[in-house]
Each structure stands twice: as structure tokens, then as C-alpha cells.
Amino acid sequence: MIEITFPDGNSKKYKKGITAVEIAEQISPRLAKEVLAATVNGEPYDLNREITADGSIVLHKWEDDMGKHAFWHSSAHLMAGALEALYPGIKFGIGPAIENGFYYDVDPGEDRIITDSDLPAIENKMKEMASQNLTYSRKQISKKEAMELFSKKGDEYKTELIGELEDGTISLYTQGEFTDLCRGPHLLSTEPIKAIKLTSVAGAYWRGDEKRKMLTRIYGISFPKQKLLDEYLLFLEEAKRRDHRRIGKELELFTFSPNVGMGLPLWLPKGAAIRQTLIDFLTSILKKKGYKIVTTPHIGNVSLYKTSGHFEKYGKDSFQPISTPQEGEQFMLKPMNCPHHCEIYNATPHSYKDLPIKMAEFGTVYRYEQSGELHGLTRVRSFTQDDAHIYCRPDQLQEEFMSIVDDVLLIFRSLDFKEFSAQISLRDPENKEKYIGSEENWEKAEKAIVEAANKKGLQTTVELGEAAFYGPKLDFMVRDAIGRKWQLGTIQVDYNLPERFDLTYNGSDNQKHRPIMIHRAIFGSLERFVAVMIENNAGKFPLWLSPEKAVILPISEKFHDYSNNVLQILNNSDICTLIDERSEKIGKKIRDNELKRIPYLLIVGEKEAESGTVSVRKQGEGDKGTMKVEEFIDFIRSEMKKEIAY
RNA sequence: GCCUCUUUAGCUCAGCUGGUAGAGCAGCUCAUUCGUAAUGAGCAGGUCGUGGGUUCGAGUCCCAUGAGAGGCUCCA
């Protein structure tokens, strides 16, 4: 007998060699039907794999990520099986489960391409195979056997993978005619896979290396019920409606023109108003926090970036330097504000008593992002950072770092950003030559960040290899409408630029010392921040950020005079208000202005004109009753104040 | 940059296997003067992203190129 412990702490004895699905069966037949995968002693386990020793068990259903993972991973195998049936000789790369579904990288072979239009046929084949209730069976084999099997098949991708595996850990899974190299775990059979949708085809370099062959990646998603798939497709459609590119066009916030250049956003008046309001808001906080605003030019001498290291690191991927008519001087469009700020630091001598020095700038920078990478406002070639640099003493580093974390949290909170995650980005320990600076300083900087994040009680994930080339960082990430992650705020500790720019301060010992520099941005880029805000609020900006606060809707032409009086009073009170004088019925005016996401609709007819009032209707909520015009002004002002209370 | 797809009126899209463009919304005009998410009628709008080619004939097929989308790679 063996003893199995459940997540709730209870344990029970079973005969040796029992399987997870049998355990589930004993608990309830319904559970046995729903369970998709298991974890035994912390290790993913097939449901029908024999358990031979004491241990803990967790049974995973669809509702938990492990369950979904096994489901989608098995679906990837099912797709591979269908592909092999439809495209004999096709070769396979990797086919994992991902956050939303699965993909498989395949090499269809010379002169054969798979496009979107082939997906329905593959999908149908998958459905046909799934309905045959094929079982997934596991087989442990030796490295030599595995090599022979896949060499015979001529699948050089699989043999490459096998070459890197340790003998004794290699397993195969077979369902129907299809056998794949795989660690598992998998479902018992294809039976639970009821609904399948192949979503897209994309190119993907083998092993993510652009020097190697580009494989065809097929993305898909599957569900145990058709209803869940329908809901997912509906979610995707909803996400499309929230897409900031669509809303930006609809609400006339920003645009792009091929005549200006791809990736170079043009802010239309309403978008520019939002952007300016954000800048004003942030500036007021910066001033309270002891930052000084500086301004620097959009270009800088190439030598500046040679000093900073940016030229060596990114020079060939930047906009190429501009040459002046005389003397062969070369200037770069600035890709970063920090070198300029270091020069400002160096313009005056500093005592240890002056530190920390906090310099802030809404600095527009230019980066030559690859064309395929541009995306609306989230990835552009010209953007404005809410950039700041803190120059401090070593003994101030941790406190300053934590204080910036506070700033980020404060601002995210006042903007009602709840869904964000924090990521500590450290060096790739196996690729240290990618970075500049001494080992000792890197260790100090990485330690400072980890400690500060812990002290602040931040929930963080650690990503190796994600650091900037000059230092580690703490990044704040948010998701867009369809769940893609974007970096917003970032805090970076840097020992390197102070050295490269020979920044110093006089210490209490009257010796020169090196300050430490912290780079920080809270929004990251105003462009990306606005984009993420749009996707979060579907274009319904909070009142204080709305470019237009209210619109007056006269019931009929008879009330235009009164309406225009109100309009003037409101605009004079700095409440940006419009008027809709079209000869449309009130229902139509309400509908159109609701769709324009104007926060307040003020309906004005006979009653209002007689009593000096407006009938207030809040966007998305409906009728709020009538108010005197002055009352409305007070009301809207107090609403705005409430929104930006911090 | 690479892979696949898309590109038709201001916007959203139709246009089957080639026979020389169509709808809804927006706009304009007229009528209507109306009480909380679409009043009616009429008008006007496109050398079908651009440049070549095949063809008696190209929005439709082929090539090149611009732009956009989804990925890959990269992200100071």
C-alpha cells in the first residue's frame, strides 16, 4: 500500500500502482470525468500513469491552469496528427500549450505552404480524429532509440531536440497514427476535445533564431464545450472593439500618415488634450516630490552616444546620424534622454549635501523599430517618455528606489490601474558579455532592486536576461484588451553611465565620489500609456481626462438661444462643452453623443429654459435629474476633484 | 528585417470562376421643431493603395512596390 496526500492535507492509502484517474474515480465518478491532468509529488503526471510510492497528489480540472495546459498540449498533438495525415512528410518543431491555446511549428517541406485558407480543412481533420476517441499513450525509450526513430522519419528538428536531452528522460506519446517526442502529460484520450478553432498562421524562426529556418507556426485553441469556444470568440470580438487603434480613429484622438512616416503618430486635438492633461497631472506630482523639470534638444552629437554606449549597442538599429553641411559633424536623433541629463549634472559641481538630484523631462525620443514590430501607439518610432533621472549617493539608493516605487503605485492608483504586474529584470547569467559595467556593480545593483522590491512587499516575477545593457530594472507591466503584455513604468539602477560620463560629487571627506543613477519612467511612454488606457476603458475616459466634458442637446431650435447662453457660461468656467444644434430628434442626439463618449449630456427644453437649469444625463448611466447651471458647474468640478484625489 | 494575410467612398464592408463599381453609417440639401440610445425624402462621394505586365477587355490573374494586420526576432 502507498499513502497519497491531498491538497487539503487529508491522506488515504491505496494499492501500489494505482493511477490518478482511479483515485479520482473513487472520490466521485463525476470528478473522474472532469479531471484532465495530475501533479504527483510536484511532477506533472499522466492520469493513467502508475503511482508507485507515497506522495502528494493534485488533480487538475479545466478550471485550473494545469488542466488547461494538458488539454491544449494534447490538442497541439492532435493538430500535428491531422497535419501529418494531410501533409505526408511534414516535419515538426515544437508544439506547446500557451496562455490561450496552443501552437505547433512545422516545416511543410519544399514548395508547400500552409495559409489561413488551409485552416478549416486541418480543423475538420482534427475534429474527425478527436471524435474517434484516440488514446494518448506514453512510452519511455532510450536516447538511441529516439534518435533512430526520428532520423528514419527524416525530422531533423526533433533529432536536434533529442540531441540535447538526457538519456533516460525521453518519452514518446502516441495517439492514433501519430507519435511525438514529448515530456507530457497528456489527456487520456482525445474524447474531451469537443470544440476546436485554428486561429492563425505565422512565421516563426526555428528556436527563435533569425539566422535559422523560418517555420510555419499554426495557432489554435480548443475547449471541452462548444459554448466555451463561442464565448472565447465573443471575447475576441469585444477585444477588437476595444482596440485603441480603432477607438483612436473613431474618437479622433490620433492618426498616422504614410506621408509623415510609419510609426510616427500624429496627435489630433482631442488626443493632444488628453496627453497634455496627463503631463500636467504628472508634473504637479513631480514638483511635490522634489523633481526639477529640465528641457533638452531632440538631437545630440554622436560622440555623446559613444560615451554612453548607446551608439555601440544600438547605433546600427537607430535612425542614422544627421550630418551638418560643414566639418562632418554628426548628430543623432536622441534615442534616450539620459546622456543629455548627465551633461546637465556635469554642468555644475555637486556636494554630497545636494544629493539626491532629481531631473525630469517629458522627452521625445526616436528609435528605429523594425517595421514588422510597429503597432498602433504601443510600438512607435517617436514617443515621449515621462523620463527622470535620480543621481544619489550609495547610502541613499535603496530609499530613493523605494520612494519611486511609491510614486508608481500612487499614480497607478489615482488612474485606477489595478491590473498590473511587477517584473524584476536581471542579467542573463550565461550571456554576460551583452552588458557593460563591472561584475561588482551589477551584483550591487541587482541586490538593491531585489531588496527594495521585497521591502515594499511587491509581488514580483524575476526574468533573467531582461535587464537593460547598463543595469537591472524593475518593470511594471499591464495587459491590453486581448491580453498582450506591455511594459509601462520602469525603474533602473545604473552604475555605468555615471562612470562613463565621469559624474562626481564632493563627499564629506572632501574627496570626489561617484553618484549612482536611477532611471525611471512611470507611464513609460505617453503614447503607450494612452493606448493602454483606451483599451482599459474602451474610450470612456474619466471626466478629468476627457477632452470634452459635456454637450448641450437642445430639444428643438426654439431653445438654441438659451442653449448658447449655457454653452458660454460653461466654457467660460473652463468646462469644455459642445452643442448639438442639428435638427434631429432628441433620441438621435443622445445616441450619437453617447457613442462619442462625452461624459455629460445636457438636455435643454422648455422647462430648463424657463428655470435656468439643465437636465443632466451621464454617459453610460442615464438621466441624473435637473440642476441649475451653477449647480452643474460645482457638481462637475467636485466630480473631477474626486477622480484625481491622491 | 523575415513569414502569412489584407488593401474598393470619410468610416465599416459587398463585389462568384476577368465583361469596365455597390450597401449601411457619416456628409450636404429640403421637410420636420420633436423630452432621454437611430424622423423622412433627396443629393453628392471612388482613375478599386501605387507602378508595371497578361488579355479584345483587369477591382478581379501575374510581378514589383507602399501601407496595415497577426506572428517571429529585437526592445536603451
Side-chain angles (χ1 to χ4, degrees):
Chain A
M1 295 295 270
I2 54 169
E3 187 169 352
I4 299 292
T5 312
F6 293 92
D8 63 5
N10 287 331
S11 64
K12 213 174 157 188
K13 290 201 185 307
Y14 293 97
K15 70 174 194 310
K16 193 170 169 180
I18 193 164
T19 66
V21 70
E22 285 163 351
I23 292 174
E25 180 71 38
Q26 288 186 23
I27 297 168
S28 89
R30 192 188 162 125
L31 177 63
K33 244 191 114 183
E34 289 184 356
V35 71
L36 297 170
T39 300
V40 175
N41 289 327
E43 193 191 334
Y45 237 67
D46 288 309
L47 291 174
N48 58 359
R49 189 164 166 194
E50 294 187 345
I51 302 168
T52 52
D54 290 357
S56 64
I57 189 166
V58 187
L59 297 172
H60 304 291
K61 299 200 294 180
W62 173 258
E63 287 69 27
D64 77 66
D65 287 347
M66 287 295 290
K68 285 195 182 74
H69 196 275
F71 193 90
W72 285 332
H73 195 176
S74 297
S75 302
H77 278 227
L78 177 63
M79 178 167 78
L83 285 166
E84 194 167 57
L86 292 170
Y87 302 86
I90 193 168
K91 294 172 195 171
F92 296 94
I94 55 165
I98 52 177
E99 215 172 326
N100 279 307
F102 57 88
Y103 68 79
Y104 219 118
D105 284 346
V106 298
D107 178 358
E110 291 298 311
D111 301 330
R112 212 159 45 172
I113 53 170
I114 298 174
T115 72
D116 293 339
S117 54
D118 300 316
L119 295 182
I122 302 168
E123 213 173 280
N124 287 336
K125 190 76 189 172
M126 286 173 75
K127 286 175 191 159
E128 180 195 317
M129 291 174 131
S131 65
Q132 293 166 5
N133 293 351
L134 305 171
T135 55
Y136 289 92
S137 59
R138 183 177 202 275
K139 191 178 165 200
Q140 187 101 24
I141 58 166
S142 73
K143 188 164 179 171
K144 197 164 152 248
E145 286 173 302
M147 273 299 193
E148 273 168 19
L149 182 73
F150 285 98
S151 314
K152 214 164 84 193
K153 238 180 119 182
D155 197 327
E156 66 262 29
Y157 306 104
K158 290 294 178 191
T159 53
E160 183 178 328
L161 293 173
I162 293 164
E164 292 164 18
L165 294 175
E166 237 169 83
D167 203 2
T169 63
I170 297 173
S171 55
L172 299 178
Y173 279 82
T174 302
Q175 95 275 4
E177 305 281 300
F178 177 74
T179 296
D180 201 356
L181 170 77
C182 187
R183 191 172 19 183
H186 280 285
L187 304 178
L188 291 174
S189 79
T190 57
E191 198 262 332
I193 306 174
K194 302 285 192 206
I196 302 165
K197 177 80 189 167
L198 299 185
T199 46
S200 65
V201 179
Y205 298 109
W206 170 232
R207 317 208 84 179
D209 183 345
E210 62 185 312
K211 290 182 194 71
R212 306 196 64 175
K213 189 162 180 175
M214 182 161 274
L215 304 180
T216 305
R217 175 171 297 179
I218 304 174
Y219 284 92
I221 192 163
S222 57
F223 294 92
K225 283 185 195 145
Q226 181 64 34
K227 193 172 147 247
L228 290 169
L229 173 59
D230 293 342
E231 280 170 13
Y232 178 74
L233 294 176
L234 216 65
F235 160 78
L236 285 186
E237 263 178 51
E238 169 61 18
K240 242 190 198 166
R241 255 176 260 130
R242 299 173 82 94
D243 190 313
H244 76 276
R245 292 164 301 184
R246 185 191 179 104
I247 292 176
K249 192 185 275 181
E250 212 180 306
L251 299 185
E252 300 175 353
L253 301 178
F254 57 86
T255 190
F256 292 89
S257 159
N259 300 322
V260 175
M262 60 205 298
L264 302 172
L266 302 172
W267 287 92
L268 304 178
K270 289 182 208 175
I274 293 169
R275 195 171 173 280
Q276 190 60 45
T277 308
L278 283 170
I279 290 176
D280 293 344
F281 167 68
L282 212 50
T283 305
S284 72
I285 293 180
L286 290 178
K287 286 186 177 157
K288 282 182 201 158
K289 291 281 185 171
Y291 288 84
K292 305 289 178 216
I293 306 284
V294 297
T295 303
T296 64
H298 286 226
I299 62 172
N301 198 297
V302 167
S303 65
L304 185 69
Y305 304 102
K306 285 187 177 157
T307 304
S308 71
H310 288 104
F311 186 79
E312 190 195 350
K313 195 79 189 168
Y314 294 105
K316 53 187 180 310
D317 303 322
S318 296
F319 284 103
Q320 287 311 291
I322 310 161
S323 303
T324 56
Q326 319 172 7
E327 307 196 11
E329 283 181 307
Q330 290 203 304
F331 292 88
M332 275 176 91
L333 283 169
K334 76 173 163 188
M336 282 301 288
N337 301 302
C338 29
H340 291 78
H341 289 185
C342 287
E343 291 299 321
I344 291 180
Y345 181 93
N346 260 346
T348 49
H350 299 285
S351 146
Y352 72 98
K353 295 177 189 165
D354 303 335
L355 301 182
I357 288 173
K358 305 180 177 184
M359 247 180 250
E361 175 176 16
F362 291 92
T364 304
V365 296
Y366 303 87
R367 298 178 183 179
Y368 189 81
E369 301 289 353
Q370 298 189 80
S371 61
E373 195 46 54
L374 298 173
H375 180 92
L377 284 184
T378 49
R379 180 65 113 259
V380 287
R381 286 178 172 169
S382 141
F383 59 96
T384 301
Q385 294 179 313
D386 60 324
D387 207 1
H389 297 97
I390 289 93
Y391 299 89
C392 68
R393 306 190 302 261
D395 64 286
Q396 294 171 319
L397 175 64
Q398 203 171 81
E399 195 193 323
E400 286 305 318
F401 194 93
M402 290 195 293
S403 150
I404 298 168
V405 173
D406 285 338
D407 296 348
V408 173
L409 297 179
L410 168 82
I411 284 165
F412 278 17
R413 209 164 40 230
S414 33
L415 291 169
D416 213 21
F417 255 86
K418 293 186 197 84
E419 310 264 326
F420 62 87
S421 57
Q423 173 183 312
I424 296 178
S425 303
L426 304 178
R427 266 182 312 179
D428 179 354
E430 283 165 22
N431 219 339
K432 288 188 177 172
E433 63 281 8
K434 266 167 60 180
Y435 308 95
I436 60 173
S438 73
E439 182 65 31
E440 188 201 349
N441 282 342
W442 268 92
E443 275 172 21
K444 273 198 275 182
E446 295 192 341
K447 193 159 157 266
I449 289 189
V450 172
E451 276 182 17
N454 285 342
K455 275 197 183 168
K456 278 284 145 201
L458 274 183
Q459 287 269 337
T460 54
T461 56
V462 175
E463 294 289 335
L464 298 176
E466 292 291 309
F469 73 91
Y470 51 70
K473 50 185 187 161
L474 173 63
D475 291 329
F476 293 84
M477 325 281 287
V478 293
R479 286 174 187 277
D480 68 9
I482 59 168
R484 282 177 299 212
K485 266 186 165 185
W486 296 99
Q487 178 201 308
L488 288 183
T490 178
I491 315 176
Q492 315 179 351
V493 176
D494 183 0
Y495 287 85
N496 292 303
L497 285 190
E499 263 180 53
R500 286 174 166 255
F501 280 91
D502 194 23
L503 308 183
T504 58
Y505 63 88
N506 281 319
S508 52
D509 54 3
N510 201 26
Q511 300 289 306
K512 297 244 183 250
H513 294 271
R514 190 75 75 208
I516 303 167
M517 193 173 167
I518 306 174
H519 306 245
R520 66 99 274 207
I522 294 176
F523 294 165
S525 106
L526 284 165
E527 282 71 12
R528 179 177 292 179
F529 190 80
V530 170
V532 173
M533 279 197 88
I534 291 173
E535 306 216 344
N536 269 276
N537 63 26
K540 290 184 201 174
F541 283 90
L543 181 63
W544 70 284
L545 272 176
S546 284
E548 287 138 356
K549 314 294 185 203
V551 57
I552 299 170
L553 312 181
I555 296 285
S556 80
E557 211 172 318
K558 284 186 242 164
F559 313 108
H560 281 187
D561 284 348
Y562 174 68
S563 298
N564 278 294
N565 283 341
V566 176
L567 179 71
Q568 216 166 37
I569 296 169
L570 292 177
N571 279 326
N572 288 341
S573 310
D574 205 24
I575 293 166
C576 180
T577 307
L578 307 172
I579 185 162
D580 186 347
E581 290 187 318
R582 294 174 305 163
S583 74
E584 292 289 349
K585 289 168 84 168
I586 196 66
K588 169 74 165 166
K589 291 191 190 182
I590 288 169
R591 180 184 155 79
D592 287 351
N593 287 287
E594 283 273 346
L595 290 175
K596 282 159 115 181
R597 277 91 150 178
I598 297 175
Y600 287 96
L601 311 189
L602 307 176
I603 292 142
V604 164
E606 193 168 358
K607 279 181 284 175
E608 289 77 14
E610 278 172 10
S611 58
T613 56
V614 289
S615 172
V616 179
R617 191 191 155 99
K618 189 169 180 186
Q619 204 273 345
E621 291 183 20
D623 199 352
K624 294 280 164 191
T626 54
M627 281 182 213
K628 293 263 184 206
V629 176
E630 291 70 30
E631 271 180 89
F632 177 69
I633 293 171
D634 291 343
F635 168 73
I636 207 165
R637 281 184 178 155
S638 77
E639 287 295 297
M640 280 199 269
K641 219 173 245 167
K642 263 191 251 166
E643 282 179 347
I644 47 173
Y646 53 85

